[in-house]
Amino acid sequence: MELRDLRSFLAVAEERHFGRAAARLYLSQPMVSKAVRRLEQQLGTRLVDRSSLPVTLTPAGEAFRRQVDEALRLLDDACADVRRRATREAGQVRVGYTSGLGPSLVSTAISALHVRHPELRVQWTSEPTARQVADVREGVLDAGIGWMPDLGTGFASARVGTFAFVALLPADHPLAGRDSVDLTELVGDEPVVVWPRGPHPRLYARVTEALRRAGADEIIEAYGSVDDVIARVVDRQGIGISPRSWARQRPVRGIVQTPLTGTPDVPVTAFWRADSAHEGVDALVRCLKEVALDSDLAEQL
């Protein structure tokens, strides 16, 4: 019986949907389906009732879920403890961050940490927020920095910034010459193109809910990244919306980036395990809080 099969089953049990479970695990849906079927064959009973959506667990599947969940939690805690001890002894802290933070918050924090704590070795890894949460929980990372992480219990966190948004408009669009555009002005007859849900589901939900409240009739979910949002705007499929830091890394001739007002509050959050006793994490969080007070940096987020 493989650990990856057990994790696939737990993801299906929690999401009640094979596709969402696959996205959460960064696997294809067929791989997750095969993993659950392997477990069912090994156990000689059905664990998941696939006859309706959302899928449900059978009585045997529900009992199995409770026991597997507890067993894997204990295993993850043991592995995380060993990893934390190893990195503390090596004077190393492993930090994940969302890619859009790299040119601003993260680069500034790296410089500040190097000056204030030259003895500390920091290993930086760019990952989507949801992946960081899983890696911090499992001890693969000591801390993460991302948008609106879905932390649950067992985590500590600190707000270290707020993200701004821009509208992506063709240069000849009526709103393109404005200094700023309110979200209610952006929506109308044209579809609004946003980045994909998968890497940052809570960020996606927060923004699309705000768009619907503002009156958006059609929201198009792009594929891959904000690059596809820009490509669809170039192709006149709609007008785009993006976090400002993402868009600034991708200037495109003929596309104007106009600051948006009336957007939802999206905090940038540093997070770590509540039971962490890593001095490097403490130093990182102090540094991030100080760096986030820099008004020039805040303007970049």
Side-chain angles (χ1 to χ4, degrees):
M1 194 169 290
E2 299 286 341
L3 278 175
R4 62 175 175 268
D5 292 351
L6 294 172
R7 295 192 190 280
S8 293
F9 166 70
L10 283 182
V12 172
E14 292 171 8
E15 298 289 343
R16 305 287 167 154
H17 191 281
F18 279 89
R20 288 197 296 270
R24 170 174 153 183
L25 296 171
Y26 299 92
L27 298 173
S28 68
Q29 183 170 333
M31 289 179 69
V32 173
S33 297
K34 289 177 181 177
V36 174
R37 288 197 184 280
R38 272 195 300 270
L39 283 176
E40 291 176 326
Q41 291 169 359
Q42 290 166 348
L43 295 169
T45 187
R46 279 196 315 144
L47 301 173
V48 178
D49 183 352
R50 302 165 175 81
S51 62
S52 63
L53 286 176
V55 299
T56 58
L57 298 183
T58 64
E62 183 58 42
F64 188 60
R65 181 200 64 78
R66 289 193 298 269
Q67 295 179 68
V68 169
D69 188 47
E70 176 65 14
L72 289 186
R73 185 187 65 78
L74 292 173
L75 177 62
D76 288 342
D77 285 349
C79 292
D81 183 63
V82 170
R83 292 188 183 111
R84 287 197 302 273
R85 290 174 185 273
T87 55
R88 281 200 299 269
E89 291 168 1
Q92 181 183 42
V93 58
R94 301 154 304 169
V95 184
Y97 66 94
T98 299
S99 60
L101 299 172
S104 49
L105 183 64
V106 171
S107 59
T108 307
I110 289 173
S111 298
L113 274 172
H114 180 71
V115 170
R116 299 174 194 178
H117 301 277
E119 78 288 350
L120 190 63
R121 292 188 296 133
V122 184
Q123 178 182 323
W124 298 89
T125 303
S126 176
E127 290 184 344
T129 302
R131 180 69 259 170
Q132 289 181 57
V133 172
D135 283 349
V136 171
R137 180 183 293 112
E138 295 168 12
V140 176
L141 293 175
D142 298 303
I145 312 168
W147 294 293
M148 301 173 60
D150 188 4
L151 298 178
T153 60
F155 284 88
S157 64
R159 182 171 183 148
V160 295
T162 301
F163 247 76
F165 295 89
V166 294
L168 301 172
L169 304 166
D172 58 359
H173 193 279
L175 297 175
R178 301 270 295 274
D179 292 334
S180 64
V181 177
D182 191 80
L183 195 63
T184 56
E185 299 177 280
L186 187 69
V187 302
D189 297 333
E190 297 174 275
V192 181
V193 187
V194 298
W195 60 92
R197 177 185 185 278
H200 307 283
R202 298 188 79 198
L203 176 63
Y204 175 88
R206 176 71 62 88
V207 171
T208 53
E209 286 168 8
L211 284 169
R212 292 189 181 95
R213 285 196 302 270
D217 293 323
E218 184 179 358
I219 299 173
I220 299 174
E221 180 179 353
Y223 296 102
S225 70
V226 74
D227 292 318
D228 187 57
V229 177
I230 296 171
R232 288 170 184 261
V233 175
V234 170
D235 196 41
R236 306 289 174 138
Q237 295 180 30
I239 52 180
I241 182 172
S242 168
R244 182 165 56 188
S245 64
W246 284 353
R248 283 187 171 182
Q249 297 177 57
R250 299 165 172 85
V252 174
R253 181 174 297 180
I255 298 298
V256 175
Q257 300 179 16
T258 304
L260 271 175
T261 60
T263 53
D265 178 55
V266 176
V268 179
T269 304
F271 53 93
W272 59 97
R273 284 177 62 121
D275 60 0
S276 172
H278 198 314
E279 293 181 1
V281 172
D282 295 338
L284 169 72
V285 173
R286 286 196 302 271
C287 184
L288 286 170
K289 287 180 177 179
E290 293 171 11
V291 164
L293 295 175
D294 186 324
S295 59
D296 291 336
L297 174 65
E299 178 62 22
Q300 296 179 47
L301 293 178

